[in-house]
Amino acid sequence: MRFIHTADLHLGAAPDKDKPWGPARADAVRQSLPRLVELCNQESVDLLLIAGDLFHRPPTEAELKETDYLFSQLTLTKVVLIAGNHDFLRPGCAMAEHVFPENVFFISSPDPETVRFPQWNLEVTGFSYYSEQLRQDLTKDLVCPKDDKRHILMLHGGDAEHLPFKLGALQELGWDYIALGHIHKPSISADGRAAMPGSPEPLDKTETGPHGFYEGSLTNGAFSLSWRNFSNFEYTDLKINLTPDTRFAALESLLKKRLKPDGSEVCRLFLSGRRDPDADFDRDALSRLGFVSEVIDESQPDFPWEDWAARPAHDILARLTAALTPSEDDPEAALKQKALVYAAEALLSTVKRPGEEVLR
Amino acid sequence: MKIRRCSIYQFGKLKEKDLTFRDGITLIQGPNESGKTTLHTAVAALLFGVERSRGRAAARDTYKANLPWTEPEIYGGALDWERDGRRIHVVRDLAKTPPKSYISETKDGSTRDIKESEQPLPDSLTPYLFYNTLSFKQTGSGLESGMADELRSHIINLQGSGNESMNVAAALAELKARRREVQKNLREEAGQEAAALERDLRELERAGFSTLPDGWSDAKIALEKQDEIARGLTAERDRHIREISRRKKILNELQIEDRQELEEDCEKADVLVKQLEVFEESYAPKMAAPGLVKALSYLMLPVMLLGFWLILNGLQLRHYFGAAAGGVILFLSMLVSARYSRRQDALDAQKHNTELLTRLLAKYVPEHEARGDLAEARELKDYLERIRQLFTDIDEQEENIRTGTEPLVEALAKREHLTRRMESELSARVRREQWETRVRTALDRREQLEPVLRENERLKEELAALDLARTTLTQLSTGVYSDFGAPLTEEASKIFSEITGGRYEGVRISDKLEICAVQDHKLVAPAALSGGTMQQLYFAFRLAIIRLLWPDEPMPLFFDDAFVYYDKERLEALLKWLHENYKGQVFLFTCQNREGELMEAAGIPFERIDL
């Protein structure tokens, strides 16, 4: 028996809406389900697990009809589906009332329910969200039944506001495989018996790294699992360390070389290090270079802090440096560092060089 | 420290000047553009050397600004100065790159070359301090409050060791402006909107809507059926009503109102027709001569009388034959008479009937000329019966309506019930759609707000950092005041009181870090002081600073047209004070005769150099 475990397709989401590559992202998200259906057919996948957030929003009847069509195209595959925090249900809402095609098993109950597949000696248990948040850990009593069948537990959540379970505790409940959803970054437990596939398409500039799903098989009662890339697109973080000698043009040409022209990668640019205090780095110009979603400037002007600190104790810059240089474990280190730069910049902006005034 | 001699080879517009200076006041007089400020700069340049700036500052640095206009290969001069019994001779050739300096020291009659750093310059005398303490420029052209700021910055900067002149007040203003800029981008309302959205979402999570019952489509079909039934019943009823009204309209046109009367007339017509038929059948063929019948019936009376007489006579006469004949005659005549009297009756009845027919016809068909025969009577009868049928029909229709009402009411009620059910189901459906729309809208809006809120967070951090920068700077500058302020204020108060001839008791630094004058035990803010008084205040502070910086050494002072805003009395008081109280050299650069004349008049000794 071959299966695919995915989650968080977020159909209807439109990442980077205000960016030039936004429409392409929306298309990719929309096409993730048809692509998955095609893949299931091509590879004769028996079971498709969708662990919540198939939709980005509680779906309308029209949207459900669209997915019905796609699910009905599945020749062999059975689908088990739960609702997550994004497509949470209400009694009587379109999705709760919806009659899915016969091959789709939608567990629409807020309490755990089980779908049985005697042909594979397999049972899948799960439940759906009925609110946007679920602060209770409802998994504590979800003990795996003791019988000769294999059991999969499908869950959506894993953070403080969405089913705050602990993976370790969860694994002690005895399930053969725990199919998770909600966190968009893929991860897998050490023993490979619990996995979070992440979203098949990245949905936000912070969702860096590869995106895809887990595929697996159940042979002679034993699960095996492997990762598979699915998205042809990636968000990345690009970190550039500035020195006082870094010129804007050099930075620009470096970026031009680094950025992919085909749009298969969009990066967040992090500037760090010490920059020339007089240099003017135009963050907007960097954003306009192409596939740059955001420029985060964490660089510091290259002031001679050490020299200042070494000045006589009553010197204003020495005092300033002493007052605002954060100690090692200062919780306000970032704030103080920022304030120090601001104060120094403001002071230095008023500097008159010797004789300057006389000659003016 | 004393400046003894200044030889200029070439510096700016000055060329080949060799000036020697004594103690006390030296008045350096010359018209505008004669090089007073240049000489002033040259003294500092020769004393400290000139560094060539690079980059942006080069365009207006001392070096470039004073490059001689002709023969730039000769640029520099020599300066002789004394301190602690040592006489230093500095020669600076600024034409070289980098500028070359030759420094020698003469002590106890012997001369030796020394390095730049070996010069016995007073502690912490930097070019910056030279320009900001010893050198007094023309100030206070109506910017008195700005001057107070500058003074405050001086006090803070004086504590520094660098060459930078930093203005804390300006820096604070800069931070404030920056804060305003950041604050402007902050979208506080986004936070409120997000909170409201969260409330809405929680509310929507709780909100219920009745679910659509099973058999939704059955109910729809039932309603459609019921609707059809009700519509059929209504149509039938309407048809009946239409029929009734059509018949009533006919009756109305015929002006027949009294049904009773019509019924009676109808009966009459019926009887009439029957009687007329009987007459027609039984009498009419034998009624060839009604007149003869009449005549005969009249004739029968004498015959009867004759018969009667014969009877009587025969009986009396016992003529029984005669009597019998009489009886026969009587009998026969009576027979004939009876027969003819019946006919007469029939004729009478016929006549009566004809009259009746004529009356009825006149009543119902007034325009018709009545003949009064049987055919007419039949027509009338048919006609009246048709009219009667109208009434009967109306009765029947009304009965139909009566019997149809109940099912109709039932059907309508059923339909109403079904409709209401459908409506409530529809509204549940609408509510569900509304719920979906509201949830989706709220979620979409929240997604839109997310970057705004993140940006707000970032801006708030910026604001916090800017605020921390501001409070820290304020605290530090206040700290500088508290270290330095008390002796400074004391010294400045003394000087201020003296040069104002006791009009002011002194100066104070207020809580708001403002430098105020004290008059009659009250603080007077700089804004309330006259320009001249502000100048005096400034002078007092500057001199106090100098005295605090170099408490044991009279330093040379340079006044570069610094008294333009002083009136005569103030200037005289100041010059007198300098003469009497200040032990160091005083260089007055001026383009006016005022200072010289005043000092001569006041008997203040001074050296005069004309440029």
Side-chain angles (χ1 to χ4, degrees):
Chain A
M1 194 282 286
R2 298 197 55 209
F3 71 92
I4 282 177
H5 166 204
T6 185
D8 299 283
L9 276 81
H10 282 263
L11 299 178
D16 284 342
K17 214 174 193 168
D18 52 344
K19 297 283 198 273
W21 56 86
R25 294 308 309 133
D27 286 346
V29 171
R30 185 163 41 76
Q31 280 158 10
S32 57
L33 186 61
R35 279 182 63 208
L36 212 51
V37 165
E38 202 181 320
L39 194 141
C40 284
N41 284 341
Q42 272 169 8
E43 304 191 2
S44 306
V45 171
D46 296 294
L47 181 63
L48 175 62
L49 303 171
I50 304 176
D53 285 359
L54 171 61
F55 299 99
H56 191 49
R57 300 277 178 260
T60 59
E61 268 180 41
E63 284 172 315
L64 289 161
K65 282 175 188 161
E66 286 294 320
T67 50
D68 275 359
Y69 168 77
L70 294 170
F71 285 137
S72 70
Q73 297 301 104
L74 286 165
T75 49
L76 180 73
T77 319
K78 306 268 184 275
V79 181
V80 183
L81 182 64
I82 56 173
N85 60 310
H86 270 90
D87 46 9
F88 70 97
L89 306 174
R90 243 331 44 201
C93 79
M95 192 172 176
E97 295 273 288
H98 189 67
V99 181
F100 281 91
E102 277 183 0
N103 60 329
V104 179
F105 300 88
F106 174 39
I107 305 177
S108 63
S109 153
D111 303 313
E113 271 182 11
T114 302
V115 183
R116 295 181 168 81
F117 297 103
Q119 65 268 44
W120 306 314
N121 202 29
L122 175 73
E123 293 187 356
V124 183
T125 302
F127 59 87
S128 279
Y129 273 57
Y130 272 73
S131 56
E132 227 216 323
Q133 296 177 345
L134 200 54
R135 291 169 187 274
Q136 272 175 292
D137 181 6
L138 303 175
T139 64
K140 290 202 172 76
D141 305 320
L142 271 177
V143 181
C144 180
K146 301 258 182 299
D147 53 29
D148 61 341
K149 297 187 192 74
R150 297 297 108 199
H151 297 274
I152 294 178
L153 176 63
M154 252 171 115
L155 290 178
H156 187 88
D159 62 27
E161 281 160 0
H162 307 95
L163 203 64
F165 56 75
K166 294 270 176 291
L167 190 60
L170 210 55
Q171 285 196 285
E172 278 166 26
L173 298 170
W175 297 87
D176 295 300
Y177 179 61
I178 302 171
L180 298 171
H182 182 56
I183 309 291
H184 292 181
K185 199 177 172 61
S187 62
I188 184 165
S189 70
D191 60 3
R193 285 175 57 202
M196 181 79 80
S199 50
E201 287 288 342
L203 299 162
D204 185 81
K205 60 192 169 200
T206 59
E207 297 176 6
T208 56
H211 281 254
F213 52 77
Y214 283 103
E215 58 182 347
S217 64
L218 176 58
T219 322
N220 301 326
F223 280 97
S224 67
L225 205 65
S226 60
W227 168 258
R228 181 149 163 183
N229 277 339
F230 181 74
S231 177
N232 301 320
F233 173 90
E234 211 176 303
Y235 284 109
T236 52
D237 285 348
L238 185 55
K239 293 185 168 113
I240 293 180
N241 196 45
L242 302 179
T243 69
D245 296 325
T246 309
R247 298 295 137 224
F248 184 73
L251 181 62
E252 219 173 13
S253 79
L254 177 86
L255 273 173
K256 273 183 191 159
K257 266 182 232 155
R258 174 67 183 70
L259 294 170
K260 289 184 185 168
D262 63 352
S264 63
E265 184 183 331
V266 165
C267 73
R268 273 195 303 176
L269 184 61
F270 288 82
L271 301 178
S272 59
R274 289 182 153 202
R275 65 167 190 272
D276 180 353
D278 288 335
D280 188 13
F281 282 87
D282 186 350
R283 283 169 32 168
D284 291 342
L286 293 178
S287 300
R288 285 194 299 271
L289 276 179
F291 298 97
V292 175
S293 60
E294 195 179 5
V295 180
I296 298 143
D297 188 0
E298 290 167 341
S299 68
Q300 302 282 345
D302 183 44
F303 290 132
W305 303 111
E306 295 81 5
D307 293 355
W308 290 350
R311 287 182 176 204
H314 56 248
D315 181 274
I316 184 90
L317 282 173
R319 281 174 180 237
L320 186 67
T321 317
L324 287 176
T325 300
S327 57
E328 292 233 334
D329 52 351
D330 196 332
E332 293 197 315
L335 179 71
K336 283 188 174 173
Q337 183 63 38
K338 240 181 207 169
L340 177 57
V341 170
Y342 282 143
E345 277 178 349
L347 273 176
L348 292 179
S349 75
T350 68
V351 161
K352 292 168 193 159
R353 284 167 211 273
E356 213 168 79
E357 221 172 340
V358 177
L359 294 167
R360 209 176 275 148
Chain B
M1 185 188 185
K2 300 273 159 67
I3 309 288
R4 284 303 174 208
R5 184 176 173 191
C6 181
S7 306
I8 290 180
Y9 313 146
Q10 268 214 120
F11 193 90
K13 65 188 71 163
L14 294 176
K15 200 173 181 179
E16 291 169 17
K17 296 274 179 197
D18 190 7
L19 310 168
T20 50
F21 308 115
R22 297 196 195 157
D23 286 0
I25 298 171
T26 305
L27 184 70
I28 300 165
Q29 196 170 340
N32 283 329
E33 299 298 313
S34 59
K36 297 186 301 294
T37 301
T38 310
L39 179 59
H40 183 186
T41 310
V43 170
L46 293 172
L47 187 60
F48 298 108
V50 175
E51 266 182 52
R52 293 191 65 172
S53 313
R54 273 169 302 219
R56 282 190 295 204
R60 43 170 205 223
D61 74 353
T62 311
Y63 180 88
K64 195 152 184 186
N66 293 294
L67 203 64
W69 297 355
T70 57
E71 298 177 89
E73 66 277 9
I74 304 167
Y75 182 15
L79 188 78
D80 285 19
W81 56 276
E82 283 177 5
R83 188 163 184 261
D84 293 342
R86 295 161 71 181
R87 189 173 174 114
I88 308 297
H89 179 66
V90 188
V91 179
R92 296 197 192 269
D93 183 356
L94 302 176
K96 297 273 192 310
T97 312
K100 276 231 155 65
S101 301
Y102 310 94
I103 306 169
S104 59
E105 180 189 353
T106 307
K107 196 181 173 189
D108 304 328
S110 65
T111 302
R112 63 180 185 104
D113 288 350
I114 59 167
K115 288 180 190 158
E116 185 88 49
S117 58
E118 285 177 294
Q119 290 184 91
L121 278 170
D123 281 348
S124 69
L125 179 64
T126 60
Y128 167 74
L129 279 188
F130 176 86
Y131 280 113
N132 286 291
T133 55
L134 303 182
S135 168
F136 291 73
K137 287 155 292 152
Q138 176 183 322
T139 50
S141 45
L143 293 165
E144 283 75 18
S145 63
M147 206 163 78
D149 268 350
E150 198 181 322
L151 199 53
R152 197 164 58 187
S153 308
H154 281 331
I155 296 169
I156 290 157
N157 284 313
L158 287 171
Q159 296 277 290
S161 56
N163 285 347
E164 306 91 346
S165 149
M166 281 174 288
N167 183 334
V168 173
L172 287 171
E174 160 81 15
L175 286 171
K176 200 171 173 182
R178 212 160 157 178
R179 190 189 197 286
R180 231 184 351 258
E181 204 58 36
V182 174
Q183 180 81 44
K184 210 165 65 188
N185 292 326
L186 194 65
R187 287 173 56 191
E188 296 279 14
E189 78 287 354
Q192 289 151 16
E193 195 187 341
L197 272 178
E198 282 309 309
R199 280 198 301 277
D200 278 3
L201 276 167
R202 296 293 88 77
E203 185 58 40
L204 283 167
E205 276 176 1
R206 276 195 298 277
F209 34 80
S210 59
T211 59
L212 289 185
D214 291 336
W216 154 265
S217 51
D218 292 351
K220 211 168 147 192
I221 291 166
L223 174 63
E224 274 163 17
K225 248 182 208 160
Q226 201 54 48
D227 194 44
E228 210 176 292
I229 292 170
R231 251 183 308 161
L233 288 171
T234 312
E236 206 171 327
R237 184 193 166 89
D238 288 350
R239 195 165 51 77
H240 290 319
I241 290 168
R242 268 202 312 280
E243 291 294 306
I244 289 170
S245 96
R246 191 170 65 82
R247 287 178 169 84
K248 281 195 170 158
K249 196 176 160 203
I250 296 170
L251 290 173
N252 196 35
E253 272 171 12
L254 294 174
Q255 295 176 334
I256 295 164
E257 284 149 18
D258 195 338
R259 187 175 179 179
Q260 190 67 34
E261 194 185 319
L262 180 92
E263 295 273 353
E264 282 166 17
D265 287 346
C266 201
E267 288 304 314
K268 276 181 196 160
D270 193 38
V271 170
L272 200 58
V273 168
K274 275 180 190 142
Q275 285 181 353
L276 285 176
E277 272 171 354
V278 170
F279 181 77
E280 198 91 338
E281 267 171 34
S282 316
Y283 298 100
K286 298 165 192 168
M287 291 289 185
L292 181 69
V293 173
K294 216 167 185 164
L296 270 174
S297 70
Y298 289 138
L299 195 69
M300 278 309 114
L301 195 58
V303 177
M304 274 194 281
L305 286 174
L306 175 70
F308 196 60
W309 181 74
L310 282 175
I311 292 166
L312 288 176
N313 237 17
L315 287 175
Q316 205 174 3
L317 301 172
R318 307 226 177 152
H319 197 301
Y320 292 107
F321 187 73
V328 169
I329 289 164
L330 184 64
F331 177 71
L332 286 173
S333 69
M334 278 177 77
L335 211 71
V336 170
S337 172
R339 183 169 173 178
Y340 282 93
S341 132
R342 266 208 311 276
R343 284 193 182 186
Q344 187 62 46
D345 284 353
L347 274 175
D348 286 351
Q350 178 71 357
K351 192 180 170 207
H352 171 78
N353 283 346
T354 308
E355 275 170 21
L356 183 61
L357 178 61
T358 314
R359 255 200 337 271
L360 284 175
L361 280 171
K363 184 172 174 185
Y364 288 103
V365 211
E367 66 278 17
H368 179 74
E369 194 141 333
R371 293 188 310 274
D373 60 6
L374 178 60
E376 239 179 19
R378 277 178 177 149
E379 272 173 33
L380 177 68
K381 184 192 161 200
D382 281 356
Y383 176 70
L384 289 180
E385 271 173 358
R386 279 205 306 279
I387 291 175
R388 190 167 62 182
Q389 187 59 42
L390 285 177
F391 279 108
T392 321
D393 285 351
I394 286 173
D395 284 351
E396 205 174 293
Q397 307 274 30
E398 279 177 347
E399 181 57 25
N400 281 341
I401 288 174
R402 259 194 301 285
T403 51
T405 299
E406 203 175 314
L408 178 63
V409 167
E410 212 169 284
L412 285 175
K414 229 169 177 175
R415 189 178 68 171
E416 178 69 16
H417 171 72
L418 280 170
T419 306
R420 262 206 299 276
R421 211 180 104 192
M422 289 297 287
E423 273 169 359
S424 79
E425 281 162 12
L426 258 175
S427 77
R429 205 185 167 81
V430 167
R431 275 206 304 280
R432 189 177 87 181
E433 272 159 20
Q434 280 172 348
W435 180 85
E436 277 165 4
T437 311
R438 282 184 61 196
V439 167
R440 293 162 74 96
T441 311
L443 290 171
D444 283 346
R445 184 67 190 137
R446 189 170 68 177
E447 202 169 273
Q448 279 172 7
L449 283 178
E450 255 167 37
V452 180
L453 294 177
R454 268 206 303 275
E455 179 66 6
N456 274 357
E457 278 308 304
R458 196 185 69 77
L459 292 174
K460 275 178 187 165
E461 278 169 24
E462 298 282 295
L463 288 178
L466 286 166
D467 286 344
L468 181 59
R470 274 211 302 167
T471 44
T472 310
L473 263 190
T474 310
Q475 276 167 9
L476 291 179
S477 63
T478 318
V480 171
Y481 268 121
S482 56
D483 290 357
F484 199 69
L488 179 72
T489 316
E490 199 180 315
E491 186 67 34
S493 288
K494 205 174 117 215
I495 299 168
F496 188 51
S497 172
E498 283 168 9
I499 58 177
T500 56
R503 265 205 300 142
Y504 290 91
E505 290 141 35
V507 294
R508 291 281 181 280
I509 294 167
S510 77
D511 297 341
K512 292 176 190 164
L513 297 183
E514 269 183 331
I515 294 166
C516 301
V518 183
Q519 192 172 35
D520 302 330
H521 307 295
K522 278 182 206 138
L523 290 185
V524 184
L529 295 173
S530 73
T533 309
M534 197 63 216
Q535 292 282 346
Q536 290 173 312
L537 185 64
Y538 183 69
F539 174 83
F541 259 99
R542 285 287 286 274
L543 216 63
I545 289 166
I546 293 164
R547 282 187 165 175
L548 284 175
L549 283 173
W550 300 283
D552 308 319
E553 184 176 0
M555 300 293 282
L557 301 181
F558 300 83
F559 292 93
D560 187 0
D561 265 340
F563 305 124
V564 174
Y565 292 91
Y566 280 65
D567 57 23
K568 195 169 158 258
E569 287 73 29
R570 282 199 175 95
L571 183 56
E572 194 180 328
L574 186 79
L575 291 169
K576 254 189 186 150
W577 186 90
L578 281 171
H579 170 62
E580 285 163 12
N581 295 284
Y582 198 72
K583 301 283 175 281
Q585 286 173 304
V586 175
F587 298 92
L588 299 178
F589 295 81
T590 181
C591 56
Q592 294 173 338
N593 296 323
R594 207 155 73 115
E595 287 86 350
E597 285 165 6
L598 263 173
M599 284 192 286
E600 272 167 16
I604 299 170
F606 66 99
E607 191 79 14
R608 181 183 176 130
I609 296 173
D610 285 307
L611 266 186

